[in-house]
Amino acid sequence: MSSTSALAPRDRLLRTASRLFYAEGLHTVGVDRLVSEAGVTRATFYRHFPAKEELIVAYLRGRSQEIRAAVAQIPAHRRGREALLGIMQSVAEDVRRADFRGCAFLNAAAEYPDPAHPVRVAVEEHHAWFFQALRDQAAEAGHIDPDHTARLLVLLRDGALQGGALGNPDRVCDTLLRAVNDLLAAAEPTGGGDASAEHDVRRGTLGG
Amino acid sequence: MSSTSALAPRDRLLRTASRLFYAEGLHTVGVDRLVSEAGVTRATFYRHFPAKEELIVAYLRGRSQEIRAAVAQIPAHRRGREALLGIMQSVAEDVRRADFRGCAFLNAAAEYPDPAHPVRVAVEEHHAWFFQALRDQAAEAGHIDPDHTARLLVLLRDGALQGGALGNPDRVCDTLLRAVNDLLAAAEPTGGGDASAEHDVRRGTLGG
DNA sequence: GGTGAGGTAGAACGATCGGTCTTTCTACCG
DNA sequence: CGGTAGAAAGACCGATCGTTCTACCTCACC
């Protein structure tokens, strides 16, 4: 309450929702918890969001916007291969975070089976955007099959995020980054295997 | 109801739980739905399971047993590489199923954040067993780094199952099997025997 | 100096949650 | 034949769910 009391009620609600929804799940966190931890009354809640479901969608859209902003900050001189490396490295960073609990979007999808549900639509929008972002960079890097590269990177991301929430995060990160390294080395038009051009993925940063 | 009325109440409960929990989620399916669709009364429910949570654990253990039985049926002459391929192909088969909705265990973990919770323990038991099964087969296939092979295969499985529940299942299967093919071809000691493989083997490879 | 939007506070709504209870019926086993 | 265990049927419990409501306060703005 003290850390968020300076914000507007709507922002306090959104910030609290982001924290609780991610940490504990969508169905388990009730409106009571939300309003009490945000220091907001129920009336104020329903003034800003017509239903709890709308807050969930807003939470997901907000998280998506954060990620899109981070990717958009990649400087022009780091496009292509460097960008792919940076994106996947930031995924690894997420996995290592102390409060890491998997992918917010995949977790949300697990709780909302209906593909037509607004929550699921928001999840699939983010997923589709992420694939497109990877595909664009793979194409810029001159990959022979940028679609396949992007699909495989998405698959690796999903696996790392959901598997990393169960097992040892450091090991999962290592496995992920090794795979990314090998994938990029092999999928590049230069034929891969060029030892002098090799970088250690683990040192890269995204947006920093 | 008609399809399960011949079974014992406990089995009807378990079968109904398996169907509903997987299709709709753990928290969204209530005891009312469970008992009414299983054609069982509440008293009977609580005679067999002390709490709904126990039914969830039983559902997960049952699914785990099915998978373990399938893996155990792999004939002796198909151990090692053939076994790894077969296991990953059965993962792809699952993704293509009409009622596919992701991995039952990862979906359950998404709903139960507490690592000490019995549901989460059951999930992690299955995940650990699956890794070990892959590791054993990778070792039998003579892989240089069976731990890495197994970890990467687990990561690919998790990504395919959770990503496949969102996007196009056929495309996800294609991406998965291509990656598995390339991984196995490169991680084997006899490998392709080509010059590029010897460098890749040391680092572990995933590419095409 | 109203006026009204947006905030607080909190009671209350019906529905549903997981779980317990009593009662009656049925099937099996000695 | 009688005894007993398991299941059916359904009322019932307190708690919590998401949601709506009334009542009062505050403050910018015309």
Side-chain angles (χ1 to χ4, degrees):
Chain A
M1 178 171 146
S2 56
S3 63
T4 52
S5 57
L7 285 70
R10 201 192 129 96
D11 289 332
R12 270 184 286 166
L13 233 16
L14 226 28
R15 184 169 298 206
T16 305
S18 188
R19 177 170 53 86
L20 292 182
F21 281 153
Y22 180 69
E24 305 182 23
L26 270 20
H27 286 131
T28 55
V29 174
V31 177
D32 280 339
R33 278 286 296 296
L34 252 5
V35 299
S36 89
E37 294 215 20
V40 159
T41 61
R42 303 176 82 77
T44 304
F45 178 104
Y46 283 98
R47 186 186 315 281
H48 291 290
F49 302 97
K52 179 194 171 189
E53 177 186 304
E54 301 279 336
L55 178 60
I56 295 176
V57 172
Y59 146 67
L60 290 174
R61 287 209 203 286
R63 192 154 285 223
S64 182
Q65 277 312 116
E66 288 172 15
I67 297 168
R68 294 181 195 219
V71 169
Q73 271 186 348
I74 295 174
H77 63 86
R78 285 191 63 208
R79 300 197 81 77
R81 180 185 208 272
E82 292 288 322
L84 292 175
L85 250 47
I87 290 171
M88 298 308 286
Q89 213 268 336
S90 79
V91 169
E93 276 176 28
D94 283 346
V95 173
R96 282 191 226 261
R97 288 186 51 166
D99 59 350
F100 175 69
R101 209 185 76 76
C103 169
F105 301 94
L106 294 177
N107 285 347
E111 295 203 53
Y112 286 85
D114 180 11
H117 194 284
V119 169
R120 271 290 294 271
V121 172
V123 169
E124 276 158 29
E125 273 176 15
H126 177 77
H127 218 245
W129 165 83
F130 187 70
F131 164 77
Q132 199 57 42
L134 290 178
R135 208 211 87 98
D136 290 349
Q137 297 297 337
E140 195 146 348
H143 282 206
I144 287 92
D145 189 349
D147 276 288
H148 178 68
T149 298
R151 274 198 289 270
L152 190 41
L153 286 175
V154 168
L155 198 150
L156 290 171
R157 182 207 93 112
D158 292 346
L161 288 175
Q162 296 311 87
L166 285 184
N168 184 321
D170 288 332
R171 249 198 288 265
V172 169
C173 281
D174 200 57
T175 305
L176 169 68
L177 295 178
R178 244 169 103 174
V180 170
N181 223 17
D182 297 337
L183 164 64
L184 293 186
E188 273 172 354
T190 58
D194 186 0
S196 64
E198 232 172 77
H199 295 80
D200 192 333
V201 193
R202 298 163 187 83
R203 305 241 177 88
T205 55
L206 170 67
Chain B
M1 181 163 56
S2 58
S3 63
T4 53
S5 58
L7 284 70
R10 201 192 128 96
D11 289 332
R12 270 184 285 167
L13 233 16
L14 225 27
R15 184 169 297 206
T16 304
S18 189
R19 177 170 54 88
L20 293 181
F21 281 153
Y22 180 70
E24 305 183 21
L26 271 20
H27 285 131
T28 54
V29 174
V31 177
D32 282 338
R33 274 290 291 301
L34 252 5
V35 300
S36 89
E37 294 215 19
V40 159
T41 61
R42 299 178 79 78
T44 304
F45 178 102
Y46 284 99
R47 185 185 317 281
H48 292 290
F49 301 96
K52 179 194 171 187
E53 177 187 305
E54 302 278 337
L55 178 61
I56 295 175
V57 171
Y59 145 67
L60 290 174
R61 288 209 203 285
R63 192 153 286 222
S64 182
Q65 277 311 116
E66 288 172 16
I67 297 169
R68 293 180 196 220
V71 169
Q73 271 186 347
I74 294 174
H77 62 85
R78 283 192 64 207
R79 303 198 79 77
R81 181 188 206 276
E82 292 287 321
L84 292 175
L85 212 53
I87 290 171
M88 298 308 286
Q89 274 167 352
S90 80
V91 169
E93 274 176 31
D94 283 345
V95 173
R96 281 190 227 261
R97 288 186 50 164
D99 60 350
F100 175 69
R101 210 185 75 78
C103 170
F105 301 94
L106 294 177
N107 285 348
E111 294 203 53
Y112 285 85
D114 179 11
H117 194 284
V119 169
R120 270 290 292 272
V121 172
V123 169
E124 276 157 28
E125 273 176 15
H126 178 77
H127 218 246
W129 164 84
F130 188 70
F131 164 77
Q132 199 59 43
L134 290 177
R135 209 212 86 98
D136 290 348
Q137 297 296 338
E140 194 146 349
H143 284 206
I144 282 86
D145 191 349
D147 277 287
H148 178 67
T149 299
R151 275 199 287 270
L152 191 42
L153 286 175
V154 168
L155 198 149
L156 290 171
R157 182 207 92 111
D158 292 346
L161 287 176
Q162 296 310 86
L166 285 184
N168 185 321
D170 287 333
R171 250 198 286 265
V172 169
C173 281
D174 199 57
T175 306
L176 169 68
L177 293 179
R178 237 172 108 175
V180 169
N181 240 16
D182 297 339
L183 165 64
L184 292 185
E188 274 172 354
T190 56
D194 50 310
S196 65
E198 67 174 357
H199 169 78
D200 288 339
V201 160
R202 260 191 68 253
R203 309 184 56 85
T205 78
L206 175 71

